[in-house]
Amino acid sequence: METVKAKKYHHGNLEEALVLAGLREAQASGTRNLGVTHLAKSVSVSPMAVYRHFSSGESLKAAISQNARENLAHRMQAAALAVSGTRNRFRALGEAYIHFALTEPGLFSVAFVACDVPPAREDDPSAWGVLQAGIQELCDDGLIAQSATESVAAFAWSSVHGFAMLANGLDPVRPQATPEDISKLLDLVWDGILGA
Amino acid sequence: METVKAKKYHHGNLEEALVLAGLREAQASGTRNLGVTHLAKSVSVSPMAVYRHFSSGESLKAAISQNARENLAHRMQAAALAVSGTRNRFRALGEAYIHFALTEPGLFSVAFVACDVPPAREDDPSAWGVLQAGIQELCDDGLIAQSATESVAAFAWSSVHGFAMLANGLDPVRPQATPEDISKLLDLVWDGILGA
DNA sequence: TTTACTATGTTTAGAGCATACACATTTGAA
DNA sequence: TTCAAATGTGTATGCTCTAAACATAGTAAA
């Protein structure tokens, strides 16, 4: 029987289980409870078992953070695929990004937490890559010059990421964001892009 | 003699000394070494002495973070005062913000670190307030409608803050920012604002 | 000046966390 | 079957945060 996983000496897939537990914690309380001991306990394993799969607590945290970023990138892709039209598709990327920050503040903050250790592999998919694909489409449609892709990408990412962080309340600054605020921001970003 | 401060049982101004030590640490290594024990040691005081001035390590960190933000706000004000013309002055705010992030990455990351504890008082001056003053000036000059100030403020802040974080390398994403990148970003922001 | 109160530091001690080292169990390949 | 590699446990060290009790210095009133 595969359906009942008896409790064995060997866990079976501890690495994945730890990351998943970390994501659950992140969802509930952000960066706070991502320690080795806490996560080990949450999957019923001794703290030292973690080190068979991660070289340090920091690298476990980095893996969790990476997974959260990939989660975001997936949602962006899905949002873009769900609508048609170059502009709508591009706008959907920004909406998905901000929606993620607002509905999953814990995951969002973990996704962009500064880790001492770099992630083991590249993000797959990466939010940055998804954005670039969207911008290439703008380019193909003649909405912006090929030479402008770099700066447009930096501008779009910056605006949306900055707004997400602020709206999210992550930073010790200011009020909440309404759907109108989000819409207006994306309008302004679009204006900036076309004006280039 | 005031010039030689003999080592006394009472420190004299421990609260300020701790925050200053924290800022020095932040400048050197960001968020890493802002613990109670470490900072206490760096001003030659026992760890418990800290708690006569801060209710917890978190609240000390919050005070350091606040001081870093005020430092940023001061630089923005100074930059704005140094140039003339509404547009130049507004642009100088963004330049100062990004320049701060790039030249003082440690302070910048501490300034916007998520603290469990809210700051004891309001930021004074606050970067947000300085920005709003700049935007009011745009409004007074008839460059934007009074009704647009809110969304323009959110847009400008978001773009510059997001760019600063990304350029800073704080986030686990992408390459460096050149002066041209910065200039282009501010151009795009300006376009977006005027298009509103 | 003496006394007493308040502010500010120190010492001691306990809890929690990261992690090095030695040991135990399981798995899988020869 | 047998043994080496992979994976997990237990124990121990050293770090941090912080509570409690104690010590010293500054200050104000008698």
Side-chain angles (χ1 to χ4, degrees):
Chain A
M1 297 267 212
E2 283 284 346
T3 52
V4 174
K5 295 183 183 178
K7 192 136 184 195
K8 300 187 295 186
Y9 190 94
H10 280 70
H11 180 285
N13 201 349
L14 184 52
E15 176 171 337
E16 186 183 354
L18 285 169
V19 172
L20 290 178
L23 290 172
R24 263 194 309 272
E25 276 306 325
Q27 212 161 15
S29 57
T31 309
R32 235 182 304 271
N33 298 113
L34 300 184
V36 170
T37 305
H38 189 81
L39 291 178
K41 196 163 302 181
S42 84
V43 297
S44 307
V45 143
S46 84
M48 282 310 295
V50 172
Y51 294 91
R52 296 294 180 192
H53 302 271
F54 299 94
S55 61
S56 70
E58 269 301 303
S59 83
L60 168 55
K61 208 180 313 189
I64 295 165
S65 174
Q66 174 166 45
N67 202 300
R69 281 195 305 282
E70 291 172 344
N71 189 325
L72 165 60
H74 272 123
R75 297 198 199 196
M76 290 169 68
Q77 272 186 331
L81 287 176
V83 301
S84 62
T86 299
R87 188 199 156 155
N88 287 342
R89 200 150 37 239
F90 188 74
R91 193 187 180 93
L93 293 178
E95 280 168 351
Y97 199 104
I98 293 173
H99 186 256
F100 181 78
L102 293 177
T103 59
E104 296 286 3
L107 284 182
F108 184 75
S109 65
V110 168
F112 294 103
V113 75
C115 293
D116 291 351
V117 178
R121 51 180 177 79
E122 292 238 315
D123 288 13
D124 178 39
S126 81
W128 179 250
V130 174
L131 171 64
Q132 283 189 315
I135 288 182
Q136 186 54 50
E137 198 180 342
L138 298 184
C139 210
D140 295 343
D141 279 22
L143 291 171
I144 61 172
Q146 183 76 47
S147 64
T149 54
E150 274 286 327
S151 53
V152 164
F155 168 65
W157 178 285
S158 296
S159 303
V160 170
H161 181 71
F163 186 85
M165 301 213 74
L166 299 172
N168 175 318
L170 243 191
D171 297 332
V173 208
R174 26 140 330 165
Q176 285 307 328
T178 68
E180 288 77 29
D181 292 335
I182 297 172
S183 182
K184 281 181 187 164
L185 175 94
L186 294 174
D187 288 341
L188 288 171
V189 171
W190 187 255
D191 291 346
I193 290 176
L194 291 196
Chain B
M1 295 265 212
E2 283 283 349
T3 52
V4 174
K5 294 183 183 177
K7 191 133 184 201
K8 300 186 296 185
Y9 189 95
H10 279 70
H11 180 285
N13 200 351
L14 184 53
E15 177 171 337
E16 187 183 354
L18 285 169
V19 172
L20 290 178
L23 290 172
R24 254 180 283 126
E25 276 306 326
Q27 213 161 14
S29 57
T31 309
R32 235 182 304 271
N33 298 114
L34 301 183
V36 169
T37 305
H38 189 82
L39 291 177
K41 196 163 300 180
S42 84
V43 298
S44 307
V45 144
S46 82
M48 283 309 296
V50 172
Y51 294 91
R52 295 294 180 190
H53 302 273
F54 299 94
S55 60
S56 70
E58 269 301 304
S59 85
L60 168 55
K61 207 180 312 189
I64 294 165
S65 174
Q66 174 166 47
N67 202 300
R69 282 194 305 281
E70 291 172 345
N71 189 326
L72 164 60
H74 272 122
R75 298 198 198 197
M76 290 169 68
Q77 272 186 331
L81 286 175
V83 301
S84 61
T86 299
R87 187 198 156 156
N88 287 342
R89 200 152 35 241
F90 188 74
R91 193 187 181 93
L93 293 178
E95 280 167 351
Y97 199 103
I98 294 172
H99 186 255
F100 180 78
L102 293 177
T103 60
E104 295 286 3
L107 284 181
F108 184 75
S109 65
V110 169
F112 294 104
V113 75
C115 292
D116 290 351
V117 179
R121 52 180 176 78
E122 293 237 315
D123 288 12
D124 178 38
S126 80
W128 180 250
V130 173
L131 171 64
Q132 283 189 315
I135 288 183
Q136 185 55 50
E137 198 180 341
L138 297 184
C139 209
D140 296 342
D141 279 22
L143 291 172
I144 61 172
Q146 183 74 46
S147 63
T149 53
E150 275 286 327
S151 53
V152 166
F155 168 65
W157 178 284
S158 296
S159 304
V160 169
H161 182 71
F163 186 84
M165 301 213 75
L166 298 173
N168 174 319
L170 240 192
D171 296 333
V173 207
R174 23 138 337 152
Q176 284 308 326
T178 68
E180 287 78 29
D181 292 335
I182 298 173
S183 183
K184 280 180 186 165
L185 175 94
L186 293 174
D187 288 341
L188 288 171
V189 172
W190 187 254
D191 291 346
I193 290 176
L194 292 194

